[in-house]
Amino acid sequence: MFDKLKTTIKELAKTAVLKAEEALGSKKGQEKKTMAIEYIIQRIPVPSFFKPLVSMLLSSFIDDAVEFAVEYMKSEVL
């Protein structure tokens, strides 16, 4: 179950980072990261009452996925 969920989170992270960048622009790194994490948690494909638990259990993974997506986006720009 978590493997498929992790794959989904990685894909959501790319979209989340792009949307945060579009919405907030540059020089707001922490705000963009928070926005991206919230975007992912809202869209995790689990019932609403499980989202707090899943987000807590996978918080480190979600954080890493956002960081990876940021690095990916930077490499695509170059």
Side-chain angles (χ1 to χ4, degrees):
M1 174 186 145
F2 279 125
D3 289 336
K4 184 176 179 186
L5 190 57
K6 286 181 175 182
T7 300
T8 301
I9 288 170
K10 288 178 187 176
E11 292 303 316
L12 284 170
K14 292 176 187 174
T15 303
V17 167
L18 181 62
K19 290 195 174 285
E21 182 67 33
E22 289 173 352
L24 299 175
S26 62
K27 307 233 188 234
K28 296 190 180 196
Q30 191 58 43
E31 291 175 46
K32 289 189 286 190
K33 186 173 185 177
T34 300
M35 184 178 184
I37 290 170
E38 289 173 1
Y39 179 93
I40 293 167
I41 292 169
Q42 289 173 357
R43 288 162 179 80
I44 292 174
V46 296
S48 295
F49 56 90
F50 283 130
K51 287 184 184 201
L53 176 63
V54 171
S55 66
M56 183 183 69
L57 291 173
L58 296 177
S59 65
S60 179
F61 181 81
I62 293 169
D63 189 59
D64 290 345
V66 169
E67 292 297 329
F68 178 79
V70 168
E71 293 303 317
Y72 176 80
M73 298 286 279
K74 286 180 183 177
S75 70
E76 290 295 309
V77 172
L78 300 176

